[in-house]
Each structure stands twice: as C-alpha cells, then as structure tokens.
Amino acid sequence: MSSHRQSRKRRYITWAAAGAAVVAGAGIAAQTSMAATVWPAQKTFTGRAFDTCAAPSLSAMKAWHNGTYGAAAVYIGGKNRGCAQANLTASWVKSVSTVGWKLIPIYVGAQPPCQTGSSPEKISASTAASLGAKDAADAVAKASALGMKAGSPVYLDMESYDITNKACNDAVLTYVRAFDKALRAKTYRSGYYGFTSSSAKAIANATDKTDLPGNMWYALWDKQYTTTADWPFGPTQWTNHSRGHQYMVNSKETIGGYTITVDRDTWDGPVAITG
C-alpha cells in the first residue's frame, strides 16, 4: 500500500518518522464480543491477495484471475484515500465477484494527531469519539452503496505514528473504538490495517480491549507468505480466520498482458459479502 492510503511522498515521510524497525508486540487479546446481534455468516478467504492504489479495470481483473491471487483489497472511502477510484462502482463489484474475486474493503479514516505530514483529516483528543462514529457511518454507507452487504468487514487504515506519545495514542484508540462500535451497530465486522512496529502494535498491546478490531491486517514486509510463522503478537490474538499479512510492497507484476504495481498479502480472514 505504498501510495494507496496517502500520497507516496507523505507515506514515505511517515515511515521515516516512525522508523522501519519491526518490534514484536506483546499481550493477550480476546476479540470483542459482537453481543446478541444476529450476524450474517462470515465470508472467509484463505490464500493470496493483493492491494493496489486504484481498483483495476474489469478487463484487468478478469485477466488477473488466473490462480495467482484470489482476493483484492479496494479503497472504499475516507478523506485520506490517496487515489481516485474511477473503476470502483457497484457494477464493478458485482462483475469481479461473479468472476470469482473476493474483495477486502479498506477505509482510510482520520490519522493520528502526532503523525508527520498534512493529512486531510486528523484525529484530535476532543473530536476522536465523534469523528470515529462519523467516519464509520460513512464507511458503512460507502460499502453498502458498492453492494458490500451487512456482515462484511471494513478494515480501518491507520498509518505509522509514535505510539510512545501517550496523548496521541489515547486519541487514536478512542477513535478506533468509536469507529468499531459504530460499524458493529450496523452489523459490519471491524478490521484494522496497521504496522507491527506502531499502529498495529498499539491495538495489540492495549490493556483495555473494549471495542477494538476483531480482525488484524498487519504490515510486516519480510517477504514471508504466512499469517502464523512471523505473527508478531500474542498467540491467542486474532485467531480463527482473523488475520491478513502484507508481506511485500511495490511489486510490479504482469499477468494476462496487464501490468499492475501491487502489494502482496497473505489472507486468512473475512472478506466482503457481495452475493
């Protein structure tokens, strides 16, 4: 997702500020209960996935559906989304789903107040809760409009930041909890994309697990196709088909005559319900 959530320049500034070292998380987390709501059965995919800045054309998606990848992540919204999505429509979602693709919805919400760079939307201590709820409502509306039904996950993208900055980290956790709670109130599953050295680590290590994401997509660019061998957090965290691993970025690949620069993912978790 090298330029996918933010502009490429801003993302590289963010990474440099956060540091590239991978630090293992600690602690044990149980997934937050989804209460007594009757939930649609989860749709799960296990296998190779990719994410790229803009949803490819339908013709490219048809050409790429050759067994190399089975799922594709798409940026459904958020003020910090880095690319226009000319192809991403309800018709496109229906068509690629019919081809056989599984889709992973990403929402690029507000970013940490201490993060380097000028994001169009940033969290503040005073607005974290209300902004989280507002962005979740927008995420649900965007997913629904694309034909991604209740029971689908939405993966909230949180870029790198200094998690040792307590005020900043507290604001991020408040935002994430509000976002997740509002998602679940609309019967959408909560997911989270973050870096093992920072944004994902903050979630994994949080003492209070209330309303934290039920699915973790961790960025750890070790080129290992696994969600287990390099799992950086507690062994009981995000088990039972609740993990995704972004293991390689900026891979320029040509399949069926179509060249796309993608990030590679190992997937063992929920995907959108589109049927």
Side-chain angles (χ1 to χ4, degrees):
M1 299 184 183
S2 51
S3 62
H4 311 168
R5 285 169 286 274
Q6 305 181 61
S7 70
R8 179 167 296 177
K9 179 178 179 181
R10 187 161 73 242
R11 287 213 70 200
Y12 277 105
I13 290 172
T14 299
W15 295 339
V22 174
V23 182
I28 304 294
Q31 293 187 40
T32 304
S33 168
M34 292 183 177
T37 304
V38 177
W39 285 76
Q42 178 168 288
K43 186 175 183 180
T44 301
F45 172 76
T46 301
R48 296 184 184 274
F50 75 84
D51 58 90
T52 190
C53 189
S57 67
L58 178 57
S59 57
M61 292 295 284
K62 287 179 177 178
W64 269 53
H65 195 255
N66 70 343
T68 303
Y69 297 102
V74 290
Y75 293 83
I76 64 169
K79 290 184 179 179
N80 288 309
R81 184 171 64 174
C83 282
Q85 300 292 338
N87 296 317
L88 187 55
T89 63
S91 175
W92 183 93
V93 167
K94 183 177 181 179
S95 295
V96 300
S97 297
T98 299
V99 169
W101 284 101
K102 307 301 185 290
L103 298 177
I104 302 163
I106 318 166
Y107 187 86
V108 195
Q111 294 299 301
C114 58
Q115 189 183 82
T116 303
S118 54
S119 299
E121 182 179 68
K122 278 197 172 185
I123 303 162
S124 70
S126 62
T127 64
S130 60
L131 192 56
K134 178 184 176 183
D135 282 354
D138 182 56
V140 168
K142 295 291 198 300
S144 179
L146 287 169
M148 298 175 178
K149 301 177 181 179
S152 298
V154 174
Y155 291 85
L156 175 64
D157 171 337
M158 193 64 66
E159 297 295 317
S160 295
Y161 68 98
D162 179 9
I163 63 175
T164 66
N165 181 326
K166 186 178 184 303
C168 183
N169 196 55
D170 287 349
V172 169
L173 291 177
T174 297
Y175 173 83
V176 172
R177 287 190 176 99
F179 187 94
D180 290 353
K181 185 176 181 180
L183 273 186
R184 291 172 179 146
K186 295 294 186 179
T187 328
Y188 279 76
R189 290 179 162 87
S190 62
Y192 187 86
Y193 169 92
F195 289 76
T196 58
S197 57
S198 61
S199 45
K201 183 181 178 181
I203 300 297
N205 290 359
T207 302
D208 180 3
K209 306 302 182 186
T210 306
D211 292 325
L212 290 183
N215 301 281
M216 176 58 74
W217 180 2
Y218 63 104
L220 177 59
W221 303 330
D222 57 4
K223 299 184 179 180
Q224 291 193 54
Y225 176 71
T226 181
T227 59
T228 55
D230 65 354
W231 176 246
F233 307 125
T236 63
Q237 291 181 286
W238 295 290
T239 56
N240 193 26
H241 305 296
S242 297
R243 299 176 183 176
H245 174 204
Q246 185 186 68
Y247 66 92
M248 182 177 176
V249 294
N250 294 326
S251 176
K252 189 175 183 179
E253 302 177 21
T254 301
I255 300 175
Y258 289 85
T259 301
I260 308 173
T261 298
V262 302
D263 299 338
R264 296 184 183 181
D265 302 282
T266 310
W267 206 259
D268 184 25
V271 293
I273 299 170
T274 59

